[in-house]
């Protein structure tokens, strides 16, 4: 009878106030990171009060939403463009904050019923839906641009063309994809957290799924930390800190996880032309700024900087460390080949996720009287897309090898820990 008053508040904590705090904390964290990154990139100087809507649009894209570039230059001119990119620094920040908020009321619980977890997730999803609608309607703006000098400017003056360029969001896709993003974050939070409760019917998956999921999140965060240290060192040595902090606050995981796949041997195709680009290291800009589509891999990068051959070394060290930790935290009954299979599947899925999230496509063009892309200040393209199945296959291969090799020393360490008398093999 004394346990009932103590257990009831644990369920009652899954209320609307806690869900609201979780959603607001996630949006606030994402908004702050996006605003600081855009400020470092110079977006605070955009005309006509465009900065707040640009921040909202950045948060929309961070959860997978769709932003369209649009314009109105009158009947004699036209603008066209599109933007597909996820600023993964903002995405990662939101995922960590929302995931922690979701798990916080579940602490110190061994098992939670499926209806309880579903109800708690539904409260967060309902408020998240309202937030997505607000962002989708707030992430739209239009401002005038100058045609500059030259042929395009002369045509504009002759015909009285005053072009306006802006952006807007597709509300329905933004809401649907944003809800899918939230569902993925909540499910991943349950899988990754070793202390979070699961419904009784899913407890049998703890041995195979949770250690591998936890290991992959550790690997991704390790890459982000390494990239952060390198970026700070570059900012201190070479200067231009504003550009470096723009990369850190907007696209650090984009670069770090791209380095992971390239270190595994994967190839991406891309192109950069025109006067603008997305925040990225200068080395990538050199490789991709070509007239045609270029291959981005270890070979093409090494032609510009031989230090990229350290990427496979870093990948091997971090994957072996990850495999060792995963095996050390798994039950003793799991064999080395099983660890290899678990890590291979987890790494292949992780690489697939990076390929899906790391795509970049940006295009802006302006034409007057059918004469398009006049003036280098008004048009350009950034494109980056992976060769998906080759990358996934390499992830499987690396996972099998490093998963097996990393599990071997973990078995010996675990055996020494189990040598104490009176301890059962399963730790009970």
């Amino acid at each position: 009878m004394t346990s009932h008053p103590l257990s009831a508040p644990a369920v009652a904590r899954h209320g609307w106030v806690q869900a609201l705090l979780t959603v607001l904390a996630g949006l606030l964290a994402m908004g702050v990171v996006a605003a600081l990154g855009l400020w470092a990139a110079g977006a605070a100087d955009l005309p006509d009060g465009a900065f707040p809507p640009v921040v909202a649009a950045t948060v929309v894209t961070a959860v997978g939403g769709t932003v369209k570039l649009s314009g109105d230059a009158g009947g004699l001119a036209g603008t066209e463009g599109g933007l597909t990119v996820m600023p993964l620094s903002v995405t990662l920040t939101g995922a960590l904050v929302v995931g922690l908020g979701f798990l916080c009321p579940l602490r110190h619980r061994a098992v939670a019923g499926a209806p309880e977890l579903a109800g708690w997730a539904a409260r967060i999803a309902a408020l998240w839906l309202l937030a997505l609608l607000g962002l989708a309607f707030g992430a739209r703006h239009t401002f005038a641009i100058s045609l500059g000098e030259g042929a395009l400017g002369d045509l504009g003056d002759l015909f009285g063309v005053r072009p306006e360029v802006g952006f807007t969001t597709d509300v329905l896709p933004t809401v649907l994809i944003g809800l899918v993003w939230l569902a993925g974050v909540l499910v991943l939070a349950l899988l990754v957290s070793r202390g979070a409760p699961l419904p009784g019917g899913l407890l049998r998956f703890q041995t195979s799924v949770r250690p591998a999921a936890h290991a992959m999140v550790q690997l991704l965060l390790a890459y982000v930390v390494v990239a952060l240290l390198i970026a700070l060192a570059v900012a201190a040595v070479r200067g231009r800190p504003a550009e470096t902090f723009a990369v850190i606050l907007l696209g650090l995981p984009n670069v770090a996880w791209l380095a992971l796949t390239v270190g595994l041997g994967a190839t991406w195709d891309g192109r950069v032309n025109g006067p603008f680009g997305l925040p990225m290291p200068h080395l990538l800009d050199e490789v991709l700024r070509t007239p045609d589509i270029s291959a981005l891999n270890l070979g093409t990068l090494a032609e510009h900087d031989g230090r990229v051959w350290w990427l496979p070394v870093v990948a091997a060290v971090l994957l072996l460390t990850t495999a060792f930790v995963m095996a050390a935290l798994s039950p003793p009954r799991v064999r080395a080949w099983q660890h290899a299979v678990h890590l291979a599947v987890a790494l292949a899925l992780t690489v697939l996720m990076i390929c899906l999230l790391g795509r970049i496509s940006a295009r802006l063009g302006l034409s007057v009287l059918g004469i398009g892309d006049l003036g280098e200040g008004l048009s350009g393209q950034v494109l980056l897309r992976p060769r998906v199945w080759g990358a996934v296959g390499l992830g499987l291969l690396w996972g099998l090898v490093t998963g097996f090799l990393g599990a071997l020393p973990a078995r010996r360490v675990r055996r020494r820990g189990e040598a104490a008398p009176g301890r059962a093999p399963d730790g009970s």
Side-chain angles (χ1 to χ4, degrees):
M1 297 297 293
T2 57
S3 62
H4 178 73
L6 296 177
S7 60
V11 179
R13 290 173 59 192
H14 298 58
W16 287 102
V17 173
Q18 289 71 26
L20 179 62
L21 291 176
T22 298
V23 172
L24 290 179
L27 289 176
L28 179 62
M30 297 173 77
V32 169
V33 172
L36 291 175
L38 291 168
W39 173 78
D45 298 328
L46 289 172
D48 303 328
F51 185 67
V54 168
V55 173
T58 304
V59 176
V60 166
T61 58
V63 298
T66 303
V67 173
K68 286 186 175 181
L69 302 181
S70 61
D72 181 10
L76 301 176
T79 59
E80 57 89 16
L83 176 65
T84 302
V85 60
M86 290 187 71
L88 291 180
S89 293
V90 182
T91 304
L92 180 61
T93 299
L96 291 175
V97 173
V98 172
L100 289 174
F102 175 68
L103 293 176
C104 187
L106 302 176
R107 293 177 302 174
H108 312 302
R109 303 277 301 279
V111 179
E116 178 188 352
L117 291 177
W120 174 222
R123 290 183 180 91
I124 296 177
L127 296 173
W128 186 254
L129 171 63
L130 296 177
L132 288 174
L133 288 172
L135 286 172
F137 286 109
R140 50 186 64 194
H141 192 77
T142 301
F143 48 90
I145 61 173
S146 171
L147 295 176
E149 300 178 355
L152 193 62
D154 294 339
L155 287 172
D157 293 337
L158 177 63
F159 294 101
V161 174
R162 296 293 181 266
E164 293 182 340
V165 174
F167 55 90
T168 186
T169 56
D170 285 338
V171 176
L172 183 59
T174 294
V175 170
L176 293 178
I177 297 174
L179 289 175
V180 172
W181 179 89
L182 176 67
V185 169
L186 301 185
V187 171
L188 188 60
L190 282 176
L191 293 178
V192 169
S193 175
R194 298 176 59 215
L198 289 175
L202 299 180
L203 291 176
R204 63 182 181 274
F205 295 108
Q206 285 193 114
T207 300
S208 59
V209 176
R210 262 195 170 160
H214 185 77
M216 287 301 99
V217 171
Q218 286 183 321
L219 176 68
L220 293 177
L221 292 179
Y223 262 89
V224 172
V225 171
V226 171
L228 176 61
L229 295 176
I230 294 174
L232 293 176
V234 169
V237 173
R238 297 183 181 178
R240 305 174 73 177
E243 293 183 8
T244 301
F245 280 102
V247 174
I248 291 174
L249 292 167
L250 293 176
L252 187 64
N254 297 71
V255 178
W257 298 343
L258 173 66
L260 167 59
T261 62
V262 172
L264 299 180
T267 297
W268 293 63
D269 296 314
R271 184 190 181 203
V272 175
N273 76 331
F276 65 87
L278 297 173
M280 62 175 63
H282 183 63
L283 175 59
L284 298 184
D285 189 84
E286 285 184 342
V287 174
L288 297 178
R289 194 170 288 278
T290 56
D292 299 317
I293 301 296
S294 301
L296 181 70
N297 53 38
L298 285 171
T300 57
L301 288 170
E303 294 175 0
H304 297 264
D305 192 337
R307 290 174 296 181
V308 299
W309 290 111
W310 281 102
L311 291 179
V313 177
V314 173
V317 171
L318 291 180
L319 278 172
L320 286 171
T321 304
T322 298
F324 172 82
V325 173
M326 184 187 79
L329 296 177
S330 299
R333 65 179 179 275
V334 182
R335 299 178 180 180
W337 69 266
Q338 292 175 307
H339 286 300
V341 172
H342 295 165
L343 187 64
V345 173
L347 183 59
L349 292 175
T350 300
V351 170
L352 177 61
M353 179 202 72
I354 294 172
C355 290
L356 295 177
L357 299 183
R359 297 170 179 264
I360 297 175
S361 176
R363 160 96 178 141
L364 176 63
L366 174 66
S367 63
V368 177
L369 292 177
I371 304 174
D373 290 353
L374 296 177
E376 292 186 353
L378 296 171
S379 65
Q381 181 185 36
V382 180
L383 176 69
L384 186 65
R385 60 194 180 203
R387 300 181 186 178
V388 177
W389 300 117
V392 171
L394 288 166
L396 278 172
L397 180 61
W398 276 78
L400 285 172
V401 174
T402 57
F404 184 82
L405 295 178
L408 297 180
R411 293 176 65 187
R412 290 194 290 269
V413 169
R414 193 164 50 220
R415 283 171 184 166
R416 287 198 296 268
E418 293 167 0
R423 181 179 292 271
D426 61 355
S428 59

